[in-house]
């Protein structure tokens, strides 16, 4: 679990790349500057960990490209102690970014292998989400709702109704929508029944699957 000055230098370069691509949220940039992304990857990818690329992490899943992580995190407009629901814990890198930004993170992962791996890794890095669970992301976590914001880290064909229900009024839901290519979609809950929708460009994600594995 080594994190060296060289790694830090590569992270600083990555932050510069993200700023050039339009990421301006200082909390997001600071989190990416601090978190050792190479420790979330298979060691064979360590040399590439700070390139702006996605990589496989096992169970047919990927660790998202840093720009995508930063873009989604920025859309959430996180304030300290916000309750954030994350659908798709994956490697735990996005979870770590949210925690570092001061959020109380509740995260759901449907792949048992990844859930076990990430549950063991995060505490070793001093990262403590409020709640990690193995389960079906489509259902959210009604027992902990409502949430200040919800982030979905996999492509979804539609917006799961339970997630909309678990968002508090004024809250933000960020979800990549679509089959082959996804449109990053932001929903802002205006009141009990109305949501304001923004579409923010194309991204590519692994699919959000229903049920547990």
């Amino acid at each position: 679990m080594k994190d060296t000055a060289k790694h830090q230098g590569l992270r600083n370069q990555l932050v510069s790349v993200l700023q050039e691509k339009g990421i301006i949220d200082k909390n997001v940039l600071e989190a990416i500057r601090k978190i050792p992304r190479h420790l979330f990857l298979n060691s064979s990818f360590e040399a590439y960990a700070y390139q702006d690329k996605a990589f496989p992490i096992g169970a047919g899943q990927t660790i998202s490209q840093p720009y995508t992580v930063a873009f989604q995190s920025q859309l959430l407009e996180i304030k300290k102690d916000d309750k954030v629901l994350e659908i798709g814990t994956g490697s735990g890198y996005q979870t770590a970014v949210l925690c570092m930004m001061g959020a109380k993170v509740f995260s759901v992962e449907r792949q048992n292998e990844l859930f076990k791996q990430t549950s063991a890794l995060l505490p070793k890095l001093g990262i403590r989400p409020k709640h990690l669970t193995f389960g079906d992301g489509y259902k959210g976590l009604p027992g902990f709702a409502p949430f200040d914001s919800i982030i979905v880290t996999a492509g979804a064909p539609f917006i799961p109704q339970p997630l909309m229900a678990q968002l508090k009024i004024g809250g933000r839901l960020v979800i990549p929508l679509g089959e082959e290519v996804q449109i990053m979609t932001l929903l802002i809950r205006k009141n009990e029944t109305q949501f304001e929708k923004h579409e923010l460009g194309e991204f590519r994600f692994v699919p959000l699957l229903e049920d547990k594995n």
Side-chain angles (χ1 to χ4, degrees):
M1 303 288 271
K2 286 222 300 265
D3 187 30
T4 65
K6 182 183 170 202
H7 290 127
Q8 185 58 64
L10 292 169
R11 282 203 288 282
N12 293 343
Q13 283 171 8
L14 175 59
V15 165
S16 302
V17 168
L18 296 179
Q19 285 174 304
E20 280 162 28
K21 290 186 172 184
I23 301 297
I24 52 174
D25 186 320
K26 288 190 173 57
N27 280 342
V28 174
L29 294 167
E30 215 30 60
I32 286 174
R33 197 187 298 281
K34 284 183 180 149
I35 293 165
R37 186 175 187 247
H38 63 282
L39 299 179
F40 291 83
L41 291 168
N42 183 307
S43 57
S44 57
F45 294 118
E46 188 183 337
Y48 311 102
Y50 296 106
Q51 291 180 7
D52 193 17
K53 291 200 174 111
F55 290 103
I57 52 170
Q61 304 297 298
T62 55
I63 179 172
S64 291
Q65 176 184 354
Y67 173 71
T68 304
V69 170
F71 188 83
Q72 284 195 285
S73 302
Q74 179 168 281
L75 284 176
L76 294 177
E77 297 186 356
I78 285 172
K79 297 179 293 301
K80 191 167 163 35
D81 292 334
D82 271 3
K83 271 173 74 179
V84 179
L85 172 61
E86 177 191 34
I87 304 301
T89 318
S91 68
Y93 180 68
Q94 174 74 74
T95 319
V97 168
L98 297 169
C99 289
M100 193 71 83
M101 288 172 69
K104 292 179 171 159
V105 183
F106 297 76
S107 190
V108 184
E109 174 54 55
R110 62 175 292 281
Q111 301 282 356
N112 206 11
E113 173 196 340
L114 287 180
F115 170 69
K116 286 181 176 154
Q117 222 169 297
T118 302
S119 303
L121 174 67
L122 290 172
K124 286 182 190 158
L125 302 176
I127 292 158
R128 294 192 167 74
K130 286 301 271 185
H131 187 77
L132 284 182
T133 189
F134 166 58
D136 180 354
Y138 271 83
K139 299 189 174 90
L141 286 174
F144 295 99
F147 296 97
D148 295 293
S149 52
I150 298 176
I151 177 172
V152 178
T153 62
F158 58 88
I159 304 170
Q161 207 58 47
L163 300 186
M164 292 168 78
Q166 289 168 38
L167 191 64
K168 74 184 215 189
I169 291 169
R172 302 166 79 85
L173 167 63
V174 174
I175 183 167
L177 280 181
E179 304 278 352
E180 292 296 305
V181 174
Q182 289 81 36
I183 302 292
M184 190 66 75
T185 306
L186 167 66
L187 287 189
I188 301 170
R189 185 166 201 171
K190 289 299 177 190
N191 54 41
E192 281 304 321
T193 54
Q194 287 173 304
F195 291 81
E196 181 183 295
K197 184 177 179 185
H198 302 262
E199 296 190 336
L200 301 148
E202 291 189 357
F203 287 78
R204 281 182 185 276
F205 283 80
V206 292
L208 176 65
L209 304 169
E210 242 173 309
D211 301 323
K212 305 189 282 205
N213 195 5

